[in-house]
Amino acid sequence: MTDHYAVIGNPVSHSRSPQIHAAFARATGQDLSYEALLAPLDGFAATVREFADRGGRGANVTVPFKQEAYVLATRRSARAQAAGAVNVLVFDGGEIFGDNTDGAGLVIDLRHNLGFTLAGSRILLLGAGGAARGALLPLLEARPAAVTIANRTAAKAQALAREFAARAGTTPLDGCGFATLAGRRFDLVINATAASLAHEAPALPPGLYAPGSLAYDMMYGKGETPFLREARAGGAARTADGLGMLVEQAAESFLIWRGVRPPTAAVLARLRAS
Ligand code: NDP
């Protein structure tokens, strides 16, 4: 019996997830189908129910429905609760379990694909929207030396830092606007803003990149982003886009659904080549 999965979003036709999960299924010998489902902007819950009713076992959720998926879930993982958003659903009888693998995907990409040591590093997280929120707990759990959240609207970064203060434990965590970053240096700068979508770079002061530092843009697929171009010119030793994060969050979803983690290197290499 083939098990059915889907990615639900709007728009969704551009999604690489069907291609990624088909490759995972082949690599692990799992019998499953995976389709892209366009949900009307006012019809996310109905689309989910319809898919579950026709035998769907689980779904990924993408823009702009991650918060709605959080509300729809009847049970949520701790990391989904921290993120306030859900990108993986599991249908189990009448229950809908919601999880969030975006942050884990980021951390796995940084560690395993890019060989970056998060423990002891000074991290700058740019943005205070859904992507930044989802990344925060997995980053803090990697025991960095310190995490700074910086956002165009400083108050949102400060609020996010306050909200996560208890989860940060002894790791220093602060929130600020971009201008306040002047004079500070970081080992890892993650762009979790939507600036790249508008072909812009966040307006950062110069001198942020420590020797050997990595600049990471969660955005992928549109060539080098203005953020990565500026980072390279501004002293970042290495740059990376978010394609690895996409593949690793998919692998974490696959693990939740199928109990087996697929190999990711060949899939990532093939996507990069295309
Ligand atoms: P949100 O809309 O929730 O948040 C947008 C954030 O970007 C806010 O902090 C906003 O600041 C900031 N921002 C928007 N435009 C600019 C700009 N021109 N300059 C500086 N800051 C700006 O978006 P998400 O958090 O959902 O997504 C952010 C990015 O992450 C997207 O590019 C998305 O594609 C990517 N992403 C990648 C994933 C992957 O698998 N690789 C997974 C999830 C997301 P303000 O508060 O001031 O408005």
Side-chain angles (χ1 to χ4, degrees):
M1 273 274 281
T2 303
D3 289 331
H4 301 295
Y5 298 88
V7 57
I8 303 174
N10 186 334
V12 79
S13 59
H14 67 285
S15 172
R16 310 271 184 96
S17 294
Q19 190 187 343
I20 294 170
H21 282 279
F24 287 167
R26 277 194 302 277
T28 56
Q30 300 270 317
D31 185 9
L32 60 87
S33 72
Y34 190 106
E35 63 190 292
L37 273 182
L38 178 71
L41 289 175
D42 60 353
F44 172 70
T47 304
V48 169
R49 293 219 175 81
E50 213 172 273
F51 180 61
D53 286 348
R54 64 179 166 93
R57 299 284 305 271
N60 282 130
V61 180
T62 188
V63 176
F65 298 126
K66 291 182 187 181
Q67 275 84 13
E68 261 189 83
Y70 180 85
V71 174
L72 192 67
T74 55
R75 204 161 53 84
R76 303 170 191 96
S77 68
R79 58 191 181 179
Q81 286 175 41
V86 154
N87 75 321
V88 190
L89 295 171
V90 183
F91 309 129
D92 184 13
E95 288 266 293
I96 302 177
F97 173 66
D99 204 343
N100 191 313
T101 61
D102 280 336
L106 168 70
V107 164
I108 293 167
D109 188 37
L110 287 165
R111 276 193 177 133
H112 298 290
N113 300 332
L114 298 165
F116 186 85
T117 305
L118 287 161
S121 67
R122 294 162 292 175
I123 300 176
L124 171 59
L125 181 61
L126 302 170
R133 176 180 284 274
L136 209 39
L137 185 62
L139 286 173
L140 288 167
E141 285 173 350
R143 315 217 48 89
V147 176
T148 295
I149 309 163
N151 194 43
R152 185 174 58 181
T153 311
K156 284 196 208 166
Q158 287 154 352
L160 199 54
R162 273 196 303 275
E163 191 185 326
F164 277 76
R167 293 186 178 98
T170 53
T171 305
L173 173 66
D174 68 312
C176 61
F178 295 148
T180 320
L181 294 169
R184 299 180 63 183
R185 290 193 144 202
F186 300 90
D187 305 301
L188 172 62
V189 181
I190 301 170
N191 183 17
T193 74
S196 300
L197 289 172
H199 309 289
E200 290 170 6
L204 302 172
L208 295 179
Y209 293 95
S213 58
L214 170 64
Y216 189 102
D217 200 329
M218 286 193 184
M219 172 88 175
Y220 56 85
K222 295 267 194 298
E224 190 176 53
T225 61
F227 164 74
L228 291 181
R229 202 173 314 125
E230 285 188 11
R232 209 159 34 82
R238 288 196 293 155
T239 61
D241 69 11
L243 192 64
M245 174 178 172
L246 174 78
V247 172
E248 298 301 343
Q249 67 75 26
E252 289 295 294
S253 303
F254 196 93
L255 172 63
I256 292 165
W257 293 326
R258 310 302 297 178
V260 50
R261 196 176 201 282
T264 53
V267 176
L268 184 52
R270 213 172 314 129
L271 281 178
R272 238 183 236 303
S274 69

